[in-house]
Amino acid sequence: MPGRIMVGVDGSAPSNAALGWAADDAARTGAELRIVHALDRQPYSVGRFPDFGQWNYLLMAASRVLEAAEAAARERQPSVPVHAEVVEGTPAAVVQEQARQADELVIGNRGLGGFAGALLGSVTTQVAGQVRCPVVVVRADPPERVGEVGVGIDDSDVCGPAIGYAFEQADRRGARLRLIHAWQLPVHAFAPEIAFDVDEVRAAQRAVIRTRTAGWRERYPGVDLVEDVQSAHPVEALTGAPCDLLVVGSRGRGAFGSLLLGSVSRGVLHHARCPVAVVRPAEDAGGREPRAAVRESR
């Protein structure tokens, strides 16, 4: 179970939606809600000129954003313990550092400083690729609820923590869990005449789902499951499913921000209309099941 859910706020519509999502999830899980606003003085710092009280104005503005967020969270979920704080630094650095103490991070898909037509802000892309805890990215206008959580499943060990997170979310919400596995027939450039038994391939792909989810089915027997096997690109299969939440794993490879996400998780973050949770394997878990779910099963 998450002990602390952190949400980054800046007063934008996506961050307000993220705040609501985080408060609701904290109420479902019994977690503490920590609201953080990053106060970045760098754009206003000019070394050759005196401050003239600008810092005080920045502090006042930050305090107003934080107070509004805290009031909204308490009104939405009065039973949730809330801690709110202004932290000085660039938004990406503040969120990454503060998320070290969180069990889940919730952020808007873009903040006040983003370009009008951008689907994802630079902070969101960087944070989602580098933070170790699950990161939930929320848009300003999520679709109406349908009572379903979706999770992407492949034949690698990387998706294990994502599957566990999805089962837990579905169980807490009383939602159906859609197990989404996309496959594409290989194309042999030098032997295009090779034929495949599509029914046999589809059966093999369903076996992948059942193998990957066997342990979680035992832990959460009350979760209603739908096996969704599609011959499609993974991003297309995932974003085409009507869900309240999409959960994807991330391979966690690469040296720079968004490269840590992997092409599928990046594509889902760009194209999904519903909130998306990116769940990376814990550093000491080696791709095994998340510790929160293991504790609950004991």
Side-chain angles (χ1 to χ4, degrees):
M1 285 306 311
R4 176 178 292 173
I5 294 176
M6 175 185 156
V7 57
V9 299
D10 63 4
S12 65
S15 88
N16 292 337
L19 175 67
W21 198 99
D24 291 346
D25 207 40
R28 281 189 291 266
T29 61
E32 174 193 41
L33 178 62
R34 186 158 189 262
I35 305 171
V36 174
H37 175 66
L39 177 55
D40 186 6
R41 73 162 77 194
Q42 289 185 2
Y44 307 93
S45 299
V46 181
R48 293 185 302 165
F49 299 97
D51 188 342
F52 292 122
Q54 292 172 328
W55 181 239
N56 290 333
Y57 286 113
L58 290 175
L59 282 173
M60 291 171 58
S63 296
R64 286 195 295 268
V65 169
L66 199 68
E67 288 170 4
E70 184 176 1
R74 293 187 185 279
E75 180 179 1
R76 186 179 183 112
Q77 296 292 348
S79 65
V80 171
V82 178
H83 173 77
E85 183 178 4
V86 173
V87 180
E88 183 179 348
T90 61
V94 167
V95 171
Q96 288 182 57
E97 179 61 30
Q98 297 298 313
R100 295 177 183 272
Q101 304 171 29
D103 299 283
E104 180 179 275
L105 169 66
V106 186
I107 51 176
N109 67 306
R110 51 190 297 273
L112 290 174
F115 295 100
L119 293 174
L120 287 180
S122 60
V123 173
T124 302
T125 304
Q126 183 176 355
V127 168
Q130 295 184 346
V131 171
R132 300 304 308 184
C133 67
V135 179
V136 181
V137 178
V138 183
R139 295 179 185 273
D141 54 347
E144 293 184 6
R145 294 184 180 181
V146 295
E148 192 164 289
V149 173
V151 58
I153 297 176
D154 59 23
D155 57 358
S156 72
D157 291 334
V158 174
C159 67
I163 295 171
Y165 180 88
F167 264 90
E168 184 175 352
Q169 282 286 338
D171 182 62
R172 290 284 170 183
R173 295 164 177 262
R176 180 185 301 109
L177 179 56
R178 181 171 294 272
L179 309 172
I180 305 169
H181 178 68
W183 58 278
Q184 294 174 298
L185 289 175
V187 177
H188 297 279
F190 299 103
E193 70 280 0
I194 293 179
F196 296 91
D197 185 329
V198 175
D199 290 337
E200 183 178 334
V201 173
R202 186 174 288 110
Q205 303 308 320
R206 289 191 182 279
V208 170
I209 288 181
R210 289 166 187 168
T211 298
R212 291 293 173 196
T213 61
W216 298 111
R217 292 173 191 251
E218 294 178 3
R219 291 191 176 97
Y220 296 95
V223 174
D224 184 19
L225 302 176
V226 175
E227 294 181 358
D228 188 350
V229 177
Q230 300 184 37
S231 177
H233 189 279
V235 174
E236 177 186 351
L238 287 162
T239 58
C243 296
D244 299 326
L245 173 67
L246 269 177
V247 185
V248 294
S250 181
R251 300 189 180 280
R253 296 171 183 161
F256 302 98
S258 63
L259 294 181
L260 292 169
L261 283 170
S263 59
V264 172
S265 47
R266 278 205 313 274
V268 170
L269 282 172
H270 275 284
H271 297 292
R273 299 308 308 172
C274 67
V276 176
V278 179
V279 184
R280 297 177 62 195
E283 290 179 338
D284 58 346
R288 297 190 299 274
E289 298 157 354
R291 279 178 267 178
V294 172
R295 283 200 301 269
E296 187 179 31
S297 68
R298 292 174 182 167

